[in-house]
Amino acid sequence: MSRATQPVPQLKRVTDVAPLRRLVREWRTDGAKIALVPTMGNLHEGHLSLVRQAREHATRVVVSVFVNPSQFGPGEDLEAYPRTPEQDRAALETVGTDALFLPSADTIYPFGVDEMTRVSVPGLSAVLCGASRPGHFDGVTTVVCRLFNIVQPDIAVFGQKDYQQLLIVRRMVADLHLPVRVLSAPVQREPDGLAMSSRNRYLDAASRAQAPGLHAALQETADALRAGRRDFAALEAEGAARLMAAGMRTDYFAVRRATDLGLPDAATGPLAVLAAAYCGPARLIDNVRVDV
Ligand code: PAF
């Protein structure tokens, strides 16, 4: 029976490391290939697309929901971050998740966040979002490494919307020789182009109307690159001005090498146009890849 025609699995809810490891061990004994989709919950269609992709590549799918305190800076939205456990569970059942891992902060950080062993990817973690949110990516790599150790998946799926995060996780996996294959899934967008994100919940009516301007500005820059422009600094300044004209406050608007977020030269090679902007109360990020 192909995976697609198999009955939808019964979702198992697990909160501790030992029972999760037992479950994964049993599956492995039966020859299963295990996928992990790490999330912070408040699941939307973007997350569900990651689960669907995981199901295509694995026989068992674990989704973790953990609002990770170590990736939030002082004054960020840790307390306010939307938590919708019942809705998440129902959504995961519709896409056929095998296990929902819901650890507490004590389970993930048995010695507390202040004393946690850190995993840090220097360089890549310091630019763009890392420059605006110091320590953020250390929190991400620290928790993702722990989740990989706990679940021990064959595959993990991350969204391309968090493009810098995806590159950093890939670098960590390569550098630490972790036996996990990292797959990525395309950005899921609303019909007007706005990238799906849990933080879209913070948008009031006025800022929701402005928010598609972020993707529109990225697309215009991508089109200019595809048309042959290579005056990167001017393109970045124009992109930032477009965001401002759309009513947003630009954090950064950058044209970078898609492989390592380095500054591009005029030679061809895949590029990424990335931006972060404050739109009303929400800090939104988005990116467009340009294969030139
Ligand atoms: O992308 C996210 O939701 C988070 O950064 C992740 C990867 C689940 C780590 O907490």
Side-chain angles (χ1 to χ4, degrees):
M1 208 185 320
S2 84
R3 180 70 177 157
T5 56
Q6 280 178 17
V8 173
Q10 178 93 41
L11 180 66
K12 293 189 169 58
R13 193 174 166 281
V14 189
T15 54
D16 281 325
V17 174
L20 185 69
R21 284 225 173 110
R22 237 180 349 258
L23 189 60
V24 171
R25 214 167 30 240
E26 280 167 23
W27 289 340
R28 249 188 226 298
T29 311
D30 291 344
K33 192 168 179 186
I34 319 290
L36 170 67
V37 180
T39 80
M40 297 208 300
N42 190 235
L43 305 179
H44 49 69
E45 188 47 40
H47 296 109
L48 301 186
S49 75
L50 306 183
V51 180
R52 287 193 198 97
Q53 171 140 344
R55 275 178 67 86
E56 277 171 28
H57 291 88
T59 36
R60 296 288 186 177
V61 178
V62 179
V63 176
S64 61
V65 171
F66 178 61
V67 182
N68 173 34
S70 73
Q71 70 188 75
F72 288 78
E76 289 189 348
D77 55 347
L78 172 62
E79 301 309 328
Y81 197 84
R83 289 157 171 91
T84 51
E86 286 317 313
Q87 204 179 299
D88 291 349
R89 187 194 170 101
L92 289 174
E93 273 171 349
T94 67
V95 286
T97 312
D98 295 276
L100 169 57
F101 182 43
L102 285 165
S104 67
D106 289 345
T107 298
I108 295 292
Y109 298 111
F111 299 95
V113 170
D114 293 342
E115 308 253 310
M116 70 185 186
T117 304
R118 281 161 209 277
V119 178
S120 179
V121 174
L124 263 180
S125 296
V127 299
L128 304 178
C129 283
S132 315
R133 304 181 67 191
H136 166 67
F137 287 119
D138 289 358
V140 171
T141 41
T142 296
V143 80
V144 169
C145 190
R146 279 156 199 255
L147 291 168
F148 285 180
N149 285 335
I150 293 168
V151 180
Q152 301 182 357
D154 301 289
I155 290 167
V157 188
F158 290 82
Q160 289 164 13
K161 179 181 155 275
D162 297 294
Y163 189 74
Q164 187 173 6
Q165 168 174 282
L166 172 66
L167 292 189
I168 290 170
V169 169
R170 286 206 157 121
R171 173 74 65 85
M172 172 185 78
V173 163
D175 200 20
L176 297 180
H177 303 282
L178 299 178
V180 181
R181 190 154 69 96
V182 175
L183 301 180
S184 73
V187 185
Q188 298 296 307
R189 300 187 180 281
E190 302 291 351
D192 59 11
L194 175 64
M196 290 186 185
S197 163
S198 301
R199 290 194 165 97
N200 292 352
R201 281 198 160 207
Y202 300 151
L203 298 168
D204 55 22
S207 43
R208 176 63 188 82
Q210 294 167 338
L214 178 56
H215 183 236
L218 293 167
Q219 280 291 20
E220 280 193 51
T221 307
D223 288 345
L225 289 164
R226 289 186 192 109
R229 276 185 65 182
R230 291 294 179 272
D231 48 342
F232 302 118
L235 285 168
E236 290 178 351
E238 288 166 24
R242 253 182 242 121
L243 295 184
M244 210 167 76
M248 283 172 259
R249 183 161 64 81
T250 307
D251 181 358
Y252 63 80
F253 193 102
V255 181
R256 295 297 172 98
R257 287 195 300 260
T259 46
D260 61 2
L261 302 182
L263 295 173
D265 57 28
T268 55
L271 298 170
V273 192
L274 310 103
Y278 292 90
C279 186
R283 181 178 181 278
L284 304 179
I285 60 170
D286 199 354
N287 69 86
V288 172
R289 198 182 144 105
V290 186
D291 287 300
V292 286

